[in-house]
Amino acid sequence: MNDLQDALLKLSHCLYMHYQQKVIILIDEYDVPLQSAYINGYYDEMVDFLRNQPFHQP
Protein backbone atom coordinates (compact mmCIF):
# COMPACT_ATOMS: atom_id res chain seq x y z
CA MET A 1 0.00 0.00 0.00
CA ASN A 2 2.96 2.35 0.32
CA ASP A 3 3.00 3.08 -3.42
CA LEU A 4 -0.62 4.20 -3.30
CA GLN A 5 -0.03 6.28 -0.17
CA ASP A 6 3.03 7.86 -1.77
CA ALA A 7 1.10 8.63 -4.94
CA LEU A 8 -1.75 10.32 -3.05
CA LEU A 9 0.70 12.32 -0.97
CA LYS A 10 2.58 13.43 -4.08
CA LEU A 11 -0.68 14.34 -5.83
CA SER A 12 -1.83 16.45 -2.89
CA HIS A 13 1.56 18.15 -2.70
CA CYS A 14 1.55 18.94 -6.45
CA LEU A 15 -1.97 20.37 -6.24
CA TYR A 16 -0.98 22.45 -3.24
CA MET A 17 2.10 23.80 -5.03
CA HIS A 18 0.10 24.63 -8.17
CA TYR A 19 -2.89 26.29 -6.52
CA GLN A 20 -1.15 27.60 -3.38
CA GLN A 21 -4.13 26.39 -1.37
CA LYS A 22 -4.82 23.42 0.83
CA VAL A 23 -6.44 20.62 -1.15
CA ILE A 24 -8.90 17.88 -0.39
CA ILE A 25 -8.81 14.62 -2.31
CA LEU A 26 -12.15 12.85 -2.38
CA ILE A 27 -12.18 9.15 -3.15
CA ASP A 28 -15.53 8.40 -4.72
CA GLU A 29 -17.06 4.94 -4.90
CA TYR A 30 -14.69 3.50 -2.32
CA ASP A 31 -17.08 0.60 -1.90
CA VAL A 32 -15.78 -0.98 -5.12
CA PRO A 33 -12.13 -1.11 -3.95
CA LEU A 34 -13.31 -2.37 -0.55
CA GLN A 35 -15.33 -5.15 -2.16
CA SER A 36 -12.36 -6.10 -4.33
CA ALA A 37 -10.11 -6.07 -1.27
CA TYR A 38 -12.55 -8.33 0.56
CA ILE A 39 -12.75 -10.80 -2.32
CA ASN A 40 -8.97 -10.85 -2.81
CA GLY A 41 -8.01 -11.14 0.85
CA TYR A 42 -6.62 -7.73 1.74
CA TYR A 43 -9.71 -6.07 3.22
CA ASP A 44 -8.11 -5.18 6.57
CA GLU A 45 -5.17 -3.50 4.83
CA MET A 46 -7.52 -1.45 2.63
CA VAL A 47 -9.67 -0.33 5.56
CA ASP A 48 -6.55 0.65 7.48
CA PHE A 49 -5.26 2.54 4.44
CA LEU A 50 -8.48 4.50 3.97
CA ARG A 51 -8.74 5.39 7.65
CA ASN A 52 -5.16 6.54 8.13
CA GLN A 53 -4.42 8.83 5.21
CA PRO A 54 -2.84 12.25 5.72
CA PHE A 55 -4.94 13.84 2.98
CA HIS A 56 -3.79 17.34 3.71
CA GLN A 57 -0.85 19.67 3.27
CA PRO A 58 0.39 21.93 6.05
Side-chain angles (χ1 to χ4, degrees):
M1 291 289 180
N2 282 338
D3 290 341
L4 184 54
Q5 289 171 324
D6 292 342
L8 289 172
L9 189 57
K10 184 173 183 172
L11 174 62
S12 65
H13 178 72
C14 289
L15 290 168
Y16 175 78
M17 295 302 292
H18 179 77
Y19 291 106
Q20 294 295 305
Q21 294 182 22
K22 293 181 180 180
V23 298
I24 297 174
I25 298 173
L26 301 175
I27 300 176
D28 192 18
E29 297 186 24
Y30 63 89
D31 55 321
V32 174
L34 282 177
Q35 180 181 14
S36 178
Y38 179 77
I39 291 169
N40 293 298
Y42 58 95
Y43 179 81
D44 291 337
E45 288 180 48
M46 181 60 84
V47 169
D48 186 51
F49 171 77
L50 292 172
R51 286 184 180 158
N52 296 307
Q53 283 306 300
F55 293 122
H56 69 278
Q57 288 292 318

